[in-house]
Amino acid sequence: MFVLGLEGTAHTFGAGVVDGEGKVISNVRDMYRPPSGGIHPREAANHHAAVLHTVVGESLEKAGIAARDLGLVAFSQGPGLGPCLRSTATAARALSLWLDIPLIGVNHCVAHLEIGKIVGATDPILLYASGANTQVIAKAKGRYRVFGETQDIGVGNMLDKFGRMLGMPFPAGPKIEKMALKSDEYIPLPYSVKGMDVAFSGVLTAALSKKGKVPLGSLCHSLQETVFAMLTEVTERAMAHTEKKEVLLGGGVAMNRRLQQMVRTMAEERDGDFFVPEGGLLVDNGAMIAFTGLEMYKGGITTPIKQSQVNQNYRTDDVEVKW
Ligand code: AMP
Ligand code: MG
């Protein structure tokens, strides 16, 4: 059996195919880049509708299969931007009806966690650090529980916003990472951990207020050191509390080498195992949706069309993990 997964929660439209064993055989995506400013949900949704046909076609072609070879179609049901979710869900429903195959709505955050199985994580603490989301998640009593999360914006959005004010194009995360390599000077910035939660608006304001007054490399370095230390701290506390021995990274910000290094060091110092999927499976992508859809399907779950409406605020812990 082949499973098609459609991802479309925010800026990226992706289509991926996995086989019946969950092996990823194609993973194609196309990212919406706003000409200026932030992401307008409707513009991103229009982008998805425009590229959908090509991205799905390319994904099937790379997998070497035809649409009629598919046995299941999975899609990102939430959380995310309403218009983007709706474009994607409409495509998934159309494919399910046309091909007469089951449909499965997947929680996007859960998919970031499930895909960690591909690199060998069995029961990890997930540090999910993406544009819109920042959460520390782990499985407990049949659900993925959120142990800590951002109280305001996602860490990626914070980096993108900082970069935008400094004239960097979207996404700014990779550019900040490059700039940060130019300096070792640490400029103190507010460190905001509240119990298991984190907050980024204070550090963003403080960093922006230093713009032009200190070298840009030092500012980028200090921003990364501060916010990644915050993330590492709450991840470590979740490991200690749950007595879990594995830590898994997910989300686009997890592409960052410095973040990987900090979390890896923490895990190793606790005699734990560190896992990070390859880049194409870290960012928003269709393969993780297909992979999770297959897991759910094997656990006896499908989504009737009538229950396939999108959920912008779909919480990680709303999902009963029956697979
Ligand atoms: P996602 O929302 O999971 O698709 O990830 C997109 C986010 O990841 C954006 O906010 C990017 O700025 C951020 N990002 C991508 N690569 C890096 C990097 N190397 N360092 C920091 N942030 C990054
Ligand atoms: Mg994501």
Side-chain angles (χ1 to χ4, degrees):
M1 179 168 89
F2 294 101
V3 184
L4 175 71
L6 301 185
E7 157 62 34
T9 53
H11 44 66
T12 297
F13 180 78
V17 175
V18 302
D19 68 13
E21 257 73 71
K23 184 165 174 269
V24 176
I25 43 182
S26 74
N27 196 15
V28 181
R29 51 180 198 282
D30 193 309
M31 186 177 181
Y32 171 68
R33 289 166 201 273
S36 68
I39 297 168
H40 190 299
R42 203 177 53 239
E43 303 287 315
N46 289 344
H47 161 268
H48 295 357
V51 303
L52 223 149
H53 185 80
T54 331
V55 172
V56 171
E58 216 178 292
S59 185
L60 294 176
E61 199 185 310
K62 284 205 170 139
I65 61 168
R68 64 177 178 281
D69 299 323
L70 294 170
L72 179 68
V73 56
F75 70 102
S76 54
Q77 201 170 5
L81 305 172
C84 301
L85 290 170
R86 282 192 289 277
S87 290
T88 308
T90 304
R93 283 184 209 109
L95 282 166
S96 160
L97 289 171
W98 171 49
L99 298 166
D100 196 19
I101 56 174
L103 181 69
I104 291 201
V106 171
N107 179 297
H108 174 89
C109 306
V110 167
H112 274 292
L113 221 156
E114 285 289 331
I115 198 66
K117 288 181 181 164
I118 277 193
V119 284
T122 55
D123 184 22
I125 297 282
L126 170 73
L127 171 58
Y128 172 36
S130 76
N133 300 292
T134 301
Q135 296 184 327
V136 176
I137 307 170
K139 201 175 193 175
K141 295 192 188 138
R143 272 174 207 259
Y144 287 120
R145 313 273 171 183
V146 178
F147 282 80
E149 63 188 316
T150 177
Q151 293 184 340
D152 43 40
I153 53 177
V155 63
N157 281 0
M158 187 277 291
L159 294 172
D160 294 335
K161 226 168 173 171
F162 173 78
R164 188 157 76 235
M165 302 303 227
L166 272 78
M168 299 175 189
F170 174 84
K175 280 138 206 140
I176 294 170
E177 175 172 23
K178 248 193 191 150
M179 285 304 299
L181 293 173
K182 293 185 197 278
S183 170
D184 277 334
E185 183 196 10
Y186 183 75
I187 297 152
L189 289 170
Y191 183 95
S192 191
V193 169
K194 302 171 184 194
M196 286 298 292
D197 293 330
V198 288
F200 298 112
S201 40
V203 66
L204 173 63
T205 308
L208 286 174
S209 75
K210 295 186 194 297
K211 174 184 148 189
K213 297 177 191 152
V214 296
L216 184 56
S218 307
L219 194 50
C220 291
H221 168 75
S222 308
L223 185 60
Q224 283 201 165
E225 292 301 300
T226 307
V227 299
F228 294 166
M230 287 159 51
L231 296 176
T232 308
E233 180 189 330
V234 289
T235 307
E236 174 162 31
R237 197 164 313 121
M239 285 183 84
H241 179 72
T242 58
E243 296 181 352
K244 291 190 197 283
K245 282 290 179 196
E246 296 176 345
V247 56
L248 168 70
L249 291 186
V253 183
M255 301 271 277
N256 189 291
R257 297 279 161 173
R258 180 61 182 142
L259 177 61
Q260 292 183 7
Q261 185 189 34
M262 281 167 87
V263 177
R264 181 193 294 274
T265 304
M266 178 276 286
E268 285 172 359
E269 282 177 359
R270 303 183 57 80
D271 289 325
D273 291 314
F274 172 80
F275 298 95
V276 59
E278 50 110 349
L281 296 174
L282 270 181
V283 295
D284 290 352
N285 69 92
M288 70 175 186
I289 302 295
F291 182 87
T292 309
L294 176 66
E295 295 273 295
M296 294 170 73
Y297 183 71
K298 285 181 176 169
I301 301 167
T302 54
T303 307
I305 296 274
K306 275 193 177 155
Q307 288 165 28
S308 68
Q309 66 271 31
V310 304
N311 182 353
Q312 278 176 257
N313 303 312
Y314 199 177
R315 294 277 311 173
T316 303
D317 41 16
D318 280 346
V319 182
E320 204 184 331
V321 184
K322 289 191 270 188
W323 57 90

PDB file of all heavy atoms in Angstrom, residues 7 9 108-109 112 128 130-133 251-252 282-285 288, ligand 2:
ATOM      1  N   GLU A   7       0.610  18.248   3.441  1.00  0.00           N
ATOM      2  CA  GLU A   7       0.873  19.196   4.522  1.00  0.00           C
ATOM      3  C   GLU A   7       0.573  20.601   4.025  1.00  0.00           C
ATOM      4  O   GLU A   7       1.032  20.990   2.948  1.00  0.00           O
ATOM      5  CB  GLU A   7       2.353  19.082   4.945  1.00  0.00           C
ATOM      6  CG  GLU A   7       2.947  20.309   5.635  1.00  0.00           C
ATOM      7  CD  GLU A   7       2.279  20.675   6.957  1.00  0.00           C
ATOM      8  OE1 GLU A   7       1.836  19.760   7.679  1.00  0.00           O
ATOM      9  OE2 GLU A   7       2.188  21.874   7.249  1.00  0.00           O
ATOM     10  N   THR A   9      -0.184  23.619   6.679  1.00  0.00           N
ATOM     11  CA  THR A   9      -0.652  24.350   7.851  1.00  0.00           C
ATOM     12  C   THR A   9      -0.275  25.827   7.803  1.00  0.00           C
ATOM     13  O   THR A   9      -0.934  26.655   8.410  1.00  0.00           O
ATOM     14  CB  THR A   9      -0.073  23.752   9.151  1.00  0.00           C
ATOM     15  OG1 THR A   9       1.351  23.675   9.020  1.00  0.00           O
ATOM     16  CG2 THR A   9      -0.617  22.365   9.410  1.00  0.00           C
ATOM     17  N   HIS A 108      -0.744  18.077  13.088  1.00  0.00           N
ATOM     18  CA  HIS A 108       0.571  18.471  12.569  1.00  0.00           C
ATOM     19  C   HIS A 108       1.691  18.302  13.608  1.00  0.00           C
ATOM     20  O   HIS A 108       2.776  17.814  13.284  1.00  0.00           O
ATOM     21  CB  HIS A 108       0.459  19.932  12.114  1.00  0.00           C
ATOM     22  CG  HIS A 108       1.733  20.561  11.685  1.00  0.00           C
ATOM     23  ND1 HIS A 108       2.183  20.502  10.399  1.00  0.00           N
ATOM     24  CD2 HIS A 108       2.649  21.262  12.377  1.00  0.00           C
ATOM     25  CE1 HIS A 108       3.340  21.146  10.324  1.00  0.00           C
ATOM     26  NE2 HIS A 108       3.641  21.616  11.510  1.00  0.00           N
ATOM     27  N   CYS A 109       1.430  18.680  14.846  1.00  0.00           N
ATOM     28  CA  CYS A 109       2.463  18.591  15.897  1.00  0.00           C
ATOM     29  C   CYS A 109       2.778  17.133  16.206  1.00  0.00           C
ATOM     30  O   CYS A 109       3.950  16.771  16.405  1.00  0.00           O
ATOM     31  CB  CYS A 109       2.006  19.301  17.169  1.00  0.00           C
ATOM     32  SG  CYS A 109       1.505  21.005  16.884  1.00  0.00           S
ATOM     33  N   HIS A 112       5.146  15.712  13.657  1.00  0.00           N
ATOM     34  CA  HIS A 112       6.555  16.052  13.896  1.00  0.00           C
ATOM     35  C   HIS A 112       7.174  15.062  14.888  1.00  0.00           C
ATOM     36  O   HIS A 112       8.362  14.756  14.825  1.00  0.00           O
ATOM     37  CB  HIS A 112       6.676  17.467  14.471  1.00  0.00           C
ATOM     38  CG  HIS A 112       6.733  18.541  13.429  1.00  0.00           C
ATOM     39  ND1 HIS A 112       7.799  18.688  12.565  1.00  0.00           N
ATOM     40  CD2 HIS A 112       5.869  19.531  13.111  1.00  0.00           C
ATOM     41  CE1 HIS A 112       7.585  19.728  11.769  1.00  0.00           C
ATOM     42  NE2 HIS A 112       6.418  20.250  12.080  1.00  0.00           N
ATOM     43  N   TYR A 128       9.829  20.599  19.951  1.00  0.00           N
ATOM     44  CA  TYR A 128       9.268  20.990  18.662  1.00  0.00           C
ATOM     45  C   TYR A 128       9.410  22.509  18.534  1.00  0.00           C
ATOM     46  O   TYR A 128       8.692  23.263  19.190  1.00  0.00           O
ATOM     47  CB  TYR A 128       7.808  20.529  18.596  1.00  0.00           C
ATOM     48  CG  TYR A 128       7.043  21.036  17.406  1.00  0.00           C
ATOM     49  CD1 TYR A 128       7.657  21.189  16.173  1.00  0.00           C
ATOM     50  CD2 TYR A 128       5.697  21.337  17.504  1.00  0.00           C
ATOM     51  CE1 TYR A 128       6.950  21.652  15.086  1.00  0.00           C
ATOM     52  CE2 TYR A 128       4.974  21.785  16.419  1.00  0.00           C
ATOM     53  CZ  TYR A 128       5.611  21.944  15.214  1.00  0.00           C
ATOM     54  OH  TYR A 128       4.908  22.406  14.142  1.00  0.00           O
ATOM     55  N   SER A 130       9.404  25.336  15.840  1.00  0.00           N
ATOM     56  CA  SER A 130       9.154  25.712  14.449  1.00  0.00           C
ATOM     57  C   SER A 130       8.815  27.187  14.365  1.00  0.00           C
ATOM     58  O   SER A 130       9.031  27.943  15.315  1.00  0.00           O
ATOM     59  CB  SER A 130       8.036  24.849  13.877  1.00  0.00           C
ATOM     60  OG  SER A 130       6.804  25.292  14.357  1.00  0.00           O
ATOM     61  N   GLY A 131       8.280  27.600  13.217  1.00  0.00           N
ATOM     62  CA  GLY A 131       7.916  28.996  13.054  1.00  0.00           C
ATOM     63  C   GLY A 131       6.847  29.386  14.060  1.00  0.00           C
ATOM     64  O   GLY A 131       7.059  30.215  14.942  1.00  0.00           O
ATOM     65  N   ALA A 132       5.694  28.747  13.951  1.00  0.00           N
ATOM     66  CA  ALA A 132       4.547  29.144  14.758  1.00  0.00           C
ATOM     67  C   ALA A 132       4.463  28.429  16.097  1.00  0.00           C
ATOM     68  O   ALA A 132       3.791  28.902  17.005  1.00  0.00           O
ATOM     69  CB  ALA A 132       3.268  28.901  13.973  1.00  0.00           C
ATOM     70  N   ASN A 133       5.113  27.265  16.205  1.00  0.00           N
ATOM     71  CA  ASN A 133       4.947  26.453  17.414  1.00  0.00           C
ATOM     72  C   ASN A 133       6.254  26.277  18.175  1.00  0.00           C
ATOM     73  O   ASN A 133       7.315  26.148  17.563  1.00  0.00           O
ATOM     74  CB  ASN A 133       4.431  25.051  17.054  1.00  0.00           C
ATOM     75  CG  ASN A 133       3.084  25.103  16.358  1.00  0.00           C
ATOM     76  OD1 ASN A 133       2.081  25.464  16.938  1.00  0.00           O
ATOM     77  ND2 ASN A 133       3.086  24.766  15.080  1.00  0.00           N
ATOM     78  N   GLY A 251      10.701  20.423  13.830  1.00  0.00           N
ATOM     79  CA  GLY A 251      10.430  21.812  13.465  1.00  0.00           C
ATOM     80  C   GLY A 251      11.619  22.446  12.765  1.00  0.00           C
ATOM     81  O   GLY A 251      12.762  22.006  12.933  1.00  0.00           O
ATOM     82  N   GLY A 252      11.340  23.478  11.990  1.00  0.00           N
ATOM     83  CA  GLY A 252      12.370  24.100  11.155  1.00  0.00           C
ATOM     84  C   GLY A 252      13.552  24.673  11.924  1.00  0.00           C
ATOM     85  O   GLY A 252      14.683  24.637  11.453  1.00  0.00           O
ATOM     86  N   LEU A 282      12.382  17.508   9.007  1.00  0.00           N
ATOM     87  CA  LEU A 282      12.285  18.405  10.171  1.00  0.00           C
ATOM     88  C   LEU A 282      11.314  19.536   9.913  1.00  0.00           C
ATOM     89  O   LEU A 282      10.519  19.909  10.767  1.00  0.00           O
ATOM     90  CB  LEU A 282      13.649  19.046  10.444  1.00  0.00           C
ATOM     91  CG  LEU A 282      14.621  18.372  11.374  1.00  0.00           C
ATOM     92  CD1 LEU A 282      15.866  19.217  11.501  1.00  0.00           C
ATOM     93  CD2 LEU A 282      14.000  18.125  12.729  1.00  0.00           C
ATOM     94  N   VAL A 283      11.450  20.130   8.724  1.00  0.00           N
ATOM     95  CA  VAL A 283      10.581  21.251   8.370  1.00  0.00           C
ATOM     96  C   VAL A 283       9.185  20.696   8.066  1.00  0.00           C
ATOM     97  O   VAL A 283       8.995  19.475   8.038  1.00  0.00           O
ATOM     98  CB  VAL A 283      11.132  22.009   7.135  1.00  0.00           C
ATOM     99  CG1 VAL A 283      12.468  22.655   7.469  1.00  0.00           C
ATOM    100  CG2 VAL A 283      11.262  21.087   5.946  1.00  0.00           C
ATOM    101  N   ASP A 284       8.231  21.572   7.844  1.00  0.00           N
ATOM    102  CA  ASP A 284       6.893  21.116   7.491  1.00  0.00           C
ATOM    103  C   ASP A 284       6.972  20.327   6.184  1.00  0.00           C
ATOM    104  O   ASP A 284       7.521  20.829   5.198  1.00  0.00           O
ATOM    105  CB  ASP A 284       5.959  22.329   7.326  1.00  0.00           C
ATOM    106  CG  ASP A 284       5.677  22.989   8.670  1.00  0.00           C
ATOM    107  OD1 ASP A 284       6.076  22.422   9.704  1.00  0.00           O
ATOM    108  OD2 ASP A 284       5.056  24.063   8.672  1.00  0.00           O
ATOM    109  N   ASN A 285       6.427  19.127   6.187  1.00  0.00           N
ATOM    110  CA  ASN A 285       6.561  18.278   4.992  1.00  0.00           C
ATOM    111  C   ASN A 285       5.445  17.245   4.932  1.00  0.00           C
ATOM    112  O   ASN A 285       4.855  16.883   5.953  1.00  0.00           O
ATOM    113  CB  ASN A 285       7.940  17.586   5.008  1.00  0.00           C
ATOM    114  CG  ASN A 285       8.051  16.538   6.104  1.00  0.00           C
ATOM    115  OD1 ASN A 285       7.765  15.367   5.892  1.00  0.00           O
ATOM    116  ND2 ASN A 285       8.430  16.956   7.316  1.00  0.00           N
ATOM    117  N   MET A 288       5.877  13.359   6.673  1.00  0.00           N
ATOM    118  CA  MET A 288       5.556  13.098   8.091  1.00  0.00           C
ATOM    119  C   MET A 288       4.047  12.921   8.283  1.00  0.00           C
ATOM    120  O   MET A 288       3.600  12.183   9.166  1.00  0.00           O
ATOM    121  CB  MET A 288       6.106  14.207   9.006  1.00  0.00           C
ATOM    122  CG  MET A 288       5.419  15.540   8.892  1.00  0.00           C
ATOM    123  SD  MET A 288       6.055  16.719  10.111  1.00  0.00           S
ATOM    124  CE  MET A 288       4.916  18.098   9.845  1.00  0.00           C
TER     125      MET A 288
HETATM  126 MG    MG B   2       5.669  22.482  11.728  1.00  0.00          MG
END
